[in-house]
Amino acid sequence: ETMGVQPRLLGKATRKFVAALNSAKNERGHFPTLFFTNQIRMKIGVMFGNPETKPGGMAPQFASTTEVKLRAGEYKMDEVVGAPTHVEVHFKVEKNKVERPRMEGDFKIMLSDTETKRKGDIYEEDTMIKLAEKFGLLEGHGNSWTCLGEKYNGKSLVERKLLTDLAFKKTFRETLMKVLLAM
């Protein structure tokens, strides 16, 4: 029937949400947070430019303070069960009125429970090990690795200790953050 009904409806609702948030800010002294989840669609017949479009039109983008795009990457499968254990997710901050407008990175989300992680947790230990190796907190090769003054028979044992020993993980993270913030 009529073209653009959904974007017009969402645009009208977005303007009402923004007005309600502003009045709530005036009453309470701080902005409430409102999250919109919007799927990306592909335009048909686009020859040039970006073929991605949002079903809600441009109104949510104009009203938003921060816009983050998430894309699922590779799934890591458990060979025994045949179910995925975690998924790599790439994020990209397209718009940010308060911070840098363009940031991107990767992280991993657990999709099933393991002995050390629960479903929905962020799997960060491998990234911590890569950074520690890059900045000299973790040194070695083959079966001889040194981390925070302790010797390990393999990098996988360091990752295993990060997963199981929370006190070690806290010390490791604090040391790594000091090195990263000093840069």
Side-chain angles (χ1 to χ4, degrees), residues 112-138:
S112 59
D113 292 333
T114 62
E115 57 191 52
T116 55
K117 294 278 188 181
R118 292 179 44 207
K119 188 178 188 178
D121 286 348
I122 302 296
Y123 185 78
E124 61 192 354
E125 286 75 16
D126 61 340
T127 306
M128 291 169 65
I129 285 178
K130 286 177 190 171
L131 288 171
E133 197 174 355
K134 182 178 180 181
F135 292 107
L137 291 176
L138 179 64

Side-chain angles (χ1 to χ4, degrees), residues 51-68:
E52 294 178 348
T53 184
K54 292 177 222 111
M58 298 295 284
Q61 181 179 346
F62 291 135
S64 68
T65 306
T66 306
E67 186 176 312
V68 181

Side-chain angles (χ1 to χ4, degrees), residues 4 6-12 14-15 18 36 38 40 43 50 52-65 67 69 94-95 97:
Q6 185 181 11
R8 272 189 275 139
L9 183 65
L10 193 58
K12 191 174 183 180
T14 302
R15 288 191 293 275
V18 169
F36 278 107
N38 209 350
I40 300 287
K43 293 178 188 173
N50 190 1
E52 294 178 348
T53 184
K54 292 177 222 111
M58 298 295 284
Q61 181 179 346
F62 291 135
S64 68
T65 306
E67 186 176 312
K69 291 185 177 180
E94 289 285 324
K95 169 188 179 180
K97 290 182 181 176

